[in-house]
Amino acid sequence: MSQTLMQPLLAFGFASPWLLMGLLAAGVPVLIHLLHKRKFIETEWAAMKFLLAATKKYSRRVRFEQLLILLVRCLILLLLAVAFSRPYWSVKGAFFETAAPVHRILVIDTSFSMRWQNDGRDKFASAKELAETLVSDSNTGDAFQLIQISSVSPQTLISRPSRQQAYVLDEISRLQPTEEYGDVTQALQSALEFLNQAQELAQKEVIVISDFQAKSWAPLEGEAGDARVLSLLEAISKKATLVLKDVGQADEPNLAIVDFNSPSVFATLNQPVRLGVTLHNFSPLNREAVNLQLYVDGQLVNQKQVSLPANTETQAEFTHQFTRVGDHRLEVRIGEDQLPLDNRRWKVMPVKKEINVLLVNGRQSGEAMGRATDFLELALSPSLREQPWQGAIKPQVISEGELANTELELYDAVVISDVALFTDHERDLLKGYVKRGGGLIVSLGAQVDANNYNQTLFQPGSGLMNVKLLDRQGDAKQKSKIYEFDPLQYQHPVIEIFKGNPDAGLETTQIYEYVQTEVPANSNTRLVLNYDTGDPAVIESTLGRGKILLITTSLDRRWGSWAVWPSFPPMMNEFVLDVATGKWSRRESLVGQPLEILAREDQLALTPRMQAPDQAEYPLRSILDRNAESRMITFDQTQLSGIYELDWGVASAEKMLFAVNVSPLESDLAHIGPQVIPPHYFRRPDSFAPLAAELPAERTTQTGLAENLLLTVLALIVVEQLLLWRFSVGALTFLAVMCLACLSLFFQS
């Protein structure tokens, strides 16, 4: 005999076995019967022998009636206790298939990869049709819950088990594909938690309908992500029948724009700006002469033909000059394919007329070019009498004593040059300025008090940078030792312009004296330049939305020749433009990620509102009131890709633009491999038949018996009354009830 035949076909169990303690209540009628048993004293009298003969004639019938009534009462309590413990049959094989109510959890993928179309029909439409067919073909009493695979939109659509078929179908019909990345692990976790509901339904099923796109089903792209998905699937399969429906296809080609960027966070008038575009051909076939278009403010301004090799990323570039100040809408497009959503990508480019820079001078001098900021001012605005400076950077010099009373918000960057001391008030002003997006450059010099800087500016936790100033190296007066810059392989974007250009003089700059620094490990810092001794020369850090650069030497001729070297003017311009980006950054986000808007002081009383790409408007006054102290507005209704427009509510305030794009992870339509999901979880992807027709012939099902037992209890209560009224009628009814109860249990199994 085979092993299959030796396996048991029928098993019995209880969902809440501890409630079987209620079986003790079945002894209560017996106890009452024994306590109330009549006691009597025998007394002989003349006619007694005639009465005894009559009693013996009916004693058996009376005893039978009493025992049957006692049995019915015990059965009522006994069956009631068993029903509360939720017993069930566990049966195997097609012979025992049941139509018992089922608790089904539907998990439908609504991520944007489900929008891929074939013959005019997208994968999401197939998923909806499959779900609607499953619900329509369900049996009376089946309970449904609904979950969608998304990232930002609510994943739980029907949170409590619903037996109303029309309501479930209505929720499914209202489902729409999102533009979001699919968070599979969160959806599976919700399904696992839902299995603890509807305990009265012992038979449970989880049906997942998805295209099983690899990037979504292995979110960490490694063993950890794979293990998380697999562990959730295994946990679900132990509690329920797990069915995976794959509505995807093995070969789904797709062209996508996966990135749209620029090395410049903002642009200046009439200056060319480079715009980089990254395209990816997710298919095994080469694509030639793909038309790539650039739109600025809705107008087509440039286009080019690009070739896209199979399964490869391709870089393209545009150059554009802006002639108007303000925010500009940028968009790149390619021709539509079977997944049009990722064929467009947006970017916002703020354009400024000028960059305002505040130079804080720490050393006064009557000599020509004797102040600490003179060479820096000349490098940023090289004006001549015959030809005034027409560049974008506009520096303004103040003394160190004027810093506390200056409105820093009017400037895009602040440069501190050889300032001796700082007060706590000045530190707090600079700290708040940087946190709100301002750029700060701190250069050292002979007047700097290292102890004051360490205690005030660079104090860990409350300062501007987690850097400690140490001893000075070299002697600028004796010039006994010369130090040169080490560009660290030109890895930082600020000094990338000097790569391959030895005539710029960066590596031949002579420094006579500098201040050693101690940079803590794992601090929020990055080295821009070193000295040839290995000590840091320029250190970058971030604070809030802003950037800080620490230059460990001076910006004049006292500590080196840098101020008169060819590398100085371009380097200072790059430094200023780099730190000034904080106020203009964070204009772009992905679908589902929040937008952060920093309000100025004069905007706190306004009534801002955000307009989404579908023209829906969202008032932001309440958010601004709640965060008035930090001036931060967080807008998280970014479910659509496109351009979002912030209107401050007054004609004089220019509208701010923000770009939201789809996640490039969803553009790769490759299927998940069998190393993550075992193939036995999958069912026929092209079938719309009822689920029962797809389950294996040897599947094990659990059938609840509580409802049958409770109906039997109600019938026995009626039988008890009939027995007390007319025993013959009650006895026949008792036999009928017990027969029907046994038959119902058999047919239910």
Side-chain angles (χ1 to χ4, degrees):
M1 185 177 292
S2 66
Q3 184 179 0
T4 303
L5 294 178
M6 292 296 294
Q7 295 177 350
L9 293 177
L10 179 63
F12 187 76
F14 297 92
S16 301
W18 60 274
L19 288 176
L20 290 175
M21 295 179 60
L23 293 175
L24 298 175
V28 173
V30 178
L31 181 62
I32 294 175
H33 176 76
L34 294 176
L35 290 176
H36 288 77
K37 190 173 183 181
R38 187 181 300 276
K39 297 180 180 180
F40 54 89
I41 300 174
E42 292 186 5
T43 304
E44 295 289 341
W45 57 292
M48 184 176 179
K49 60 181 180 179
F50 300 105
L51 293 174
L52 286 174
T55 301
K56 289 179 181 180
K57 183 178 180 180
Y58 297 101
S59 61
R60 292 182 180 178
R61 177 180 177 182
V62 171
R63 186 177 297 124
F64 176 74
E65 292 178 358
Q66 292 177 344
L67 290 177
L68 186 57
I69 294 173
L70 181 62
L71 175 63
V72 170
R73 290 172 177 171
C74 292
L75 279 176
I76 291 174
L77 297 176
L78 182 68
L79 296 179
L80 196 61
V82 174
F84 286 157
S85 67
R86 298 200 301 276
Y88 59 86
W89 296 113
S90 181
V91 295
K92 176 174 285 190
F95 178 77
F96 291 98
E97 288 298 335
T98 177
V102 180
H103 177 203
R104 285 197 178 98
I105 300 172
L106 299 179
V107 182
I108 302 177
D109 193 345
T110 60
S111 61
F112 91 73
S113 64
M114 295 286 287
R115 293 171 177 258
W116 189 85
Q117 299 177 355
N118 187 25
D119 296 331
R121 178 185 176 88
D122 59 34
K123 293 184 290 186
F124 181 75
S126 300
K128 280 183 65 173
E129 183 176 344
L130 180 57
E132 290 170 347
T133 302
L134 181 62
V135 175
S136 300
D137 292 343
S138 63
N139 297 318
T140 303
D142 287 355
F144 287 89
Q145 289 177 273
L146 184 60
I147 298 171
Q148 68 173 344
I149 299 178
S150 59
S151 58
V152 182
S153 301
Q155 289 196 329
T156 301
L157 303 179
I158 301 180
S159 59
R160 306 297 301 175
S162 175
R163 291 178 169 85
Q164 300 179 16
Q165 191 180 91
Y167 167 68
V168 178
L169 288 173
D170 182 61
E171 287 294 322
I172 294 175
S173 67
R174 289 192 289 169
L175 263 181
Q176 295 296 328
T178 68
E179 298 186 10
E180 304 167 16
Y181 171 74
D183 189 345
V184 173
T185 55
Q186 183 59 44
L188 294 179
Q189 182 64 43
S190 299
L192 183 61
E193 295 171 358
F194 281 179
L195 288 174
N196 296 323
Q197 302 182 25
Q199 292 292 335
E200 71 280 3
L201 300 180
Q203 186 172 332
K204 297 180 181 292
E205 295 169 352
V206 176
I207 301 97
V208 181
I209 308 174
S210 172
D211 60 351
F212 295 93
Q213 188 247 10
K215 296 294 184 180
S216 296
W217 283 83
L220 301 184
E221 298 184 354
E223 295 181 358
D226 298 350
R228 177 62 177 156
V229 171
L230 185 58
S231 64
L232 286 170
L233 292 175
E234 290 178 346
I236 291 173
S237 65
K238 291 178 180 179
K239 292 187 174 184
T241 300
L242 176 61
V243 177
L244 304 183
K245 289 282 195 175
D246 188 359
V247 296
Q249 298 183 14
D251 51 344
E252 295 177 349
N254 183 37
L255 299 181
I257 302 175
V258 296
D259 194 20
F260 184 23
N261 60 73
S262 172
S264 304
V265 175
F266 59 86
T268 53
L269 282 176
N270 302 314
Q271 296 297 318
V273 177
R274 291 187 293 118
L275 303 170
V277 184
T278 304
L279 304 98
H280 202 298
N281 180 8
F282 296 101
S283 75
L285 301 177
N286 297 333
R287 294 291 301 272
E288 303 294 337
V290 175
N291 189 31
L292 177 64
Q293 300 176 327
L294 172 65
Y295 288 79
V296 176
D297 297 325
Q299 301 294 321
L300 178 62
V301 297
N302 203 345
Q303 58 183 330
K304 60 177 57 179
Q305 305 292 319
V306 292
S307 297
L308 305 180
N311 296 314
T312 305
E313 273 192 356
T314 302
Q315 305 294 328
E317 186 174 286
F318 291 105
T319 302
H320 187 73
Q321 292 185 6
F322 296 91
T323 58
R324 179 179 61 82
V325 173
D327 289 354
H328 293 266
R329 309 164 185 254
L330 276 63
E331 180 188 354
V332 284
R333 300 180 190 173
I334 57 175
E336 292 193 357
D337 57 7
Q338 292 168 293
L339 184 60
L341 192 61
D342 55 13
N343 295 346
R344 306 170 68 184
R345 207 161 186 89
W346 288 267
K347 182 177 181 59
V348 172
M349 180 60 71
V351 177
K352 290 177 62 65
K353 181 179 180 181
E354 55 190 23
I355 309 298
N356 296 308
V357 182
L358 180 66
L359 309 182
V360 183
N361 175 44
R363 184 181 67 251
Q364 300 294 337
S365 175
E367 301 177 2
M369 305 300 292
R371 296 186 305 173
T373 56
D374 283 343
F375 284 94
L376 177 60
E377 182 182 12
L378 181 61
L380 297 178
S381 59
S383 298
L384 300 174
R385 288 184 180 179
E386 300 81 6
Q387 186 177 2
W389 173 242
Q390 301 295 325
I393 297 180
K394 304 294 183 183
Q396 179 181 347
V397 181
I398 63 171
S399 65
E400 58 182 315
E402 299 176 272
L403 176 62
N405 299 318
T406 302
E407 180 56 51
L408 300 182
E409 301 296 336
L410 300 177
Y411 299 93
D412 300 296
V414 175
V415 183
I416 307 293
S417 185
D418 200 11
V419 172
L421 301 170
F422 283 92
T423 65
D424 290 344
H425 175 64
E426 291 170 334
R427 177 203 61 203
D428 293 340
L429 286 177
L430 291 172
K431 187 175 179 180
Y433 167 73
V434 174
K435 278 187 172 182
R436 292 189 291 272
L440 177 64
I441 300 176
V442 179
S443 67
L444 306 180
Q447 299 196 152
V448 168
D449 185 336
N451 291 329
N452 173 266
Y453 273 53
N454 288 335
Q455 294 176 5
T456 307
L457 291 187
F458 301 145
Q459 187 176 13
S462 61
L464 292 175
M465 292 180 66
N466 295 325
V467 177
K468 183 178 181 180
L469 300 187
L470 304 177
D471 298 329
R472 296 184 186 180
Q473 296 294 307
D475 188 342
K477 294 182 179 179
Q478 300 295 329
K479 300 180 181 179
S480 57
K481 191 169 183 180
I482 298 175
Y483 306 98
E484 294 181 343
F485 287 136
D486 175 9
L488 300 175
Q489 300 180 349
Y490 303 93
Q491 295 181 1
H492 197 282
V494 171
I495 60 174
E496 190 177 4
I497 60 173
F498 294 96
K499 187 175 182 179
N501 187 9
D503 295 335
L506 177 62
E507 297 180 64
T508 59
T509 303
Q510 297 181 350
I511 304 297
Y512 310 131
E513 191 169 345
Y514 68 88
V515 179
Q516 276 188 313
T517 56
E518 179 182 304
V519 182
N522 301 322
S523 61
N524 186 25
T525 58
R526 178 182 179 183
L527 295 178
V528 180
L529 277 177
N530 272 2
Y531 298 107
D532 52 9
T533 60
D535 291 329
V538 181
I539 306 169
E540 180 189 72
S541 65
T542 57
L543 180 64
R545 297 168 63 96
K547 284 186 179 181
I548 306 170
L549 285 182
L550 172 63
I551 303 174
T552 60
T553 188
S554 67
L555 298 181
D556 55 18
R557 290 181 296 180
R558 299 202 174 195
W559 277 14
S561 63
W562 193 17
V564 294
W565 218 248
S567 63
F568 187 72
M571 180 66 74
M572 291 302 106
N573 279 266
E574 290 296 322
F575 281 171
V576 167
L577 292 175
D578 181 60
V579 299
T581 59
K583 289 185 178 181
W584 308 96
S585 61
R586 303 190 184 183
R587 293 293 192 92
E588 296 160 20
S589 181
L590 296 179
V591 169
Q593 296 180 357
L595 297 173
E596 293 183 350
I597 305 103
L598 186 65
R600 299 194 308 267
E601 187 72 31
D602 59 341
Q603 294 173 328
L604 294 179
L606 303 180
T607 55
R609 63 182 183 272
M610 184 73 78
Q611 185 179 82
D614 60 353
Q615 306 305 313
E617 292 192 351
Y618 302 87
L620 303 178
R621 178 69 256 173
S622 60
I623 302 176
L624 186 56
D625 289 341
R626 187 165 58 249
N627 302 321
E629 184 176 348
S630 64
R631 307 183 191 174
M632 185 64 68
I633 302 175
T634 301
F635 179 75
D636 54 10
Q637 303 293 321
T638 57
Q639 285 86 1
L640 300 177
S641 58
I643 297 294
Y644 288 73
E645 188 175 280
L646 179 63
D647 187 349
W648 289 101
V650 291
S652 58
E654 186 177 359
K655 296 179 181 180
M656 296 178 63
L657 302 181
F658 300 85
V660 174
N661 292 294
V662 295
S663 171
L665 296 178
E666 284 281 324
S667 296
D668 185 358
L669 303 179
H671 277 51
I672 197 71
Q675 70 275 12
V676 177
I677 304 178
H680 66 267
Y681 287 136
F682 287 92
R683 299 292 182 259
R684 298 194 305 272
D686 56 345
S687 173
F688 293 92
L691 182 63
E694 297 189 39
L695 295 176
E698 296 183 358
R699 60 165 289 200
T700 298
T701 60
Q702 292 181 349
T703 303
L705 306 176
E707 184 177 351
N708 291 36
L709 293 177
L710 290 175
L711 291 175
T712 304
V713 168
L714 292 176
L716 288 177
I717 293 175
V718 176
V719 168
E720 181 198 22
Q721 299 301 315
L722 292 175
L723 288 172
L724 294 175
W725 171 61
R726 184 173 295 179
F727 180 79
S728 59
V729 176
L732 292 174
T733 307
F734 173 75
L735 290 175
V737 168
M738 298 310 296
C739 290
L740 289 174
C742 293
L743 289 174
S744 67
L745 293 178
F746 174 78
F747 284 113
Q748 186 179 25
S749 67

